[in-house]
Amino acid sequence: MKVIYEPRFNYQLGVLKYLHPFDGEKFAKVVSELDGLNIEIIHPNGPISTKVINEYLNELMRKLVLSKTLVLRALEVPKIPFVGFDFLDKKILTPMRLAVAGTLLGAEKALESGGIMWNLSGGFHHASNLNMEGFCIYNDIGISYQQLRKSGHLSETDKVLIIDVDAHHGNGNAYSFKDNENVHLLDVYNEDIYPTSQFTRNRVNFPVPLKSGVEGCEYLEKLTQALELITGHYALAFVIAGTDVLAVDKLGGFKLNVEDVAKREKIILSHLKTLEIPTVVTGGGGYSKQSASAIAAAIKACSTL
């Protein structure tokens, strides 16, 4: 397994970082906790190009993503008069485009090696080609899938699996692949919280809706049962490993601890390895100070797979 990281994944926002609970500098903290371990870290060459992104977005979204007001709304922060679009582009959108490049790089390397790649960022599962919301501007999995098809890494008939264990339902991915029968989704989410679209929830092939307050034992049991339903051949799997399932996270509503998160990722990746499915893990959400430690613990637990 290799880890994908670029220092510019981190959101260097100064005092503005207090406007949103997301720990924008957690990626550097993860790498620091992995220091000294025999884990290879690779880097994307640069941000995904706006040309590639525009190929994915519909015509209206190409214009909307250039609006400071709408981007701030999607980032769930108040309108800030003295902050211009150039600042947002440099401090937030460029790190996100780097994350998209990381997911695409991970997918390419996973397909080439047949192994596991772990992108510390990415997992922007609320975005689609028609919308941006929930701190997600670009849908990195949708863009990566498009580019993998274009480059020939994936064929039209190749089956792809998305396993989403972020606490929030992945409505952006569900919408993006609503008409693609070759992309299957397994989604473990808190059914009591955002997003509540029944349309996108119904698109999930293997839904695992859970109530607020679920603890680690029940969560892992339900996840394992869902994974056992995965049969057949998949050319590639994406995993959205959000840490907002932690009990200390104020947005997820679940009660897992760091050890549960590490077990979760090991259960998923062990199962995918048994099925010989190349896999790229993406970061997803995580809004607590334990998020970095949970990611690092999960990587350590899975490093020998």
Side-chain angles (χ1 to χ4, degrees):
M1 182 178 74
K2 297 179 181 179
V3 170
I4 300 168
Y5 170 69
E6 218 275 9
R8 288 178 294 164
F9 277 0
N10 298 282
Y11 305 107
Q12 306 288 347
L13 300 177
V15 295
L16 296 182
K17 66 184 179 182
Y18 299 109
L19 294 176
H20 195 281
F22 186 83
D23 182 359
E25 299 175 21
K26 69 179 179 180
F27 311 114
K29 296 174 184 176
V30 173
V31 172
S32 178
E33 291 198 37
L34 297 177
D35 188 42
L37 299 177
N38 188 28
I39 297 176
E40 183 179 353
I41 297 178
I42 63 174
H43 317 275
N45 290 329
I48 201 79
S49 71
T50 52
K51 178 182 178 182
V52 168
I53 289 174
N54 286 337
E55 288 176 8
Y56 177 73
L57 300 177
N58 78 340
E59 185 175 353
L60 177 60
M61 268 297 292
R62 293 171 195 164
K63 299 176 181 178
L64 296 182
V65 80
L66 297 176
S67 164
K68 184 188 87 167
T69 299
L70 295 179
V71 169
L72 285 173
R73 183 183 301 169
L75 294 173
E76 301 177 340
V77 297
K79 187 175 180 180
I80 311 169
F82 60 87
V83 171
F85 183 83
D86 288 345
F87 178 89
L88 290 177
D89 189 58
K90 180 180 179 180
K91 297 292 187 176
I92 299 179
L93 301 186
T94 295
M96 286 185 170
R97 289 195 293 270
L98 276 162
V100 176
T103 298
L104 177 56
L105 174 64
E108 291 170 344
K109 295 293 185 182
L111 286 166
E112 291 166 4
S113 67
I116 300 168
M117 305 295 295
W118 197 306
N119 181 22
L120 293 185
S121 191
F124 303 134
H125 63 161
H126 298 310
S128 71
N129 66 324
L130 294 175
N131 193 30
M132 51 183 173
E133 62 180 89
F135 206 77
C136 299
I137 305 299
Y138 315 109
N139 186 305
D140 53 315
I141 292 178
I143 294 169
S144 295
Y145 179 83
Q146 173 184 267
Q147 292 305 113
L148 293 169
R149 284 285 310 280
K150 186 176 180 180
S151 66
H153 281 85
L154 290 175
S155 72
E156 182 180 357
T157 57
D158 279 333
K159 290 186 177 181
V160 171
L161 176 65
I162 300 174
I163 297 178
D164 191 338
V165 287
D166 186 289
H168 300 84
H169 160 57
N171 59 326
N173 284 330
Y175 186 85
S176 296
F177 296 105
K178 67 182 188 301
D179 299 320
N180 191 329
E181 296 180 353
N182 289 320
V183 178
H184 295 174
L185 294 88
L186 187 160
D187 198 346
V188 186
Y189 61 91
N190 186 337
E191 65 178 335
D192 298 329
I193 62 174
Y194 161 87
T196 57
S197 165
Q198 202 57 50
F199 175 77
T200 56
R201 288 184 178 188
N202 289 341
R203 168 60 181 86
V204 177
N205 304 85
F206 307 101
V208 187
L210 300 173
K211 292 291 185 181
S212 293
V214 165
E215 297 184 355
C217 185
E218 180 182 353
Y219 181 102
L220 295 175
E221 180 182 2
K222 297 291 187 182
L223 168 64
T224 301
Q225 291 172 356
L227 288 171
E228 290 172 353
L229 300 175
I230 303 297
T231 58
H233 177 73
Y234 289 92
L236 178 66
F238 293 94
V239 178
I240 302 167
T243 57
D244 48 4
V245 295
L246 290 166
V248 296
D249 195 293
K250 296 180 179 179
L251 299 184
F254 289 153
K255 293 187 176 181
L256 278 67
N257 57 35
V258 169
E259 292 74 21
D260 294 327
V261 171
K263 289 179 183 177
R264 180 189 72 177
E265 266 66 280
K266 190 165 186 179
I267 289 170
I268 295 170
L269 296 182
S270 295
H271 188 72
L272 294 175
K273 184 177 181 181
T274 299
L275 296 176
E276 299 182 336
I277 303 174
T279 301
V280 53
V281 182
T282 63
Y287 311 94
S288 74
K289 292 182 178 180
Q290 285 187 4
S291 180
S293 294
I295 297 168
I299 292 173
K300 293 173 185 176
C302 300
S303 61
T304 57
L305 293 177

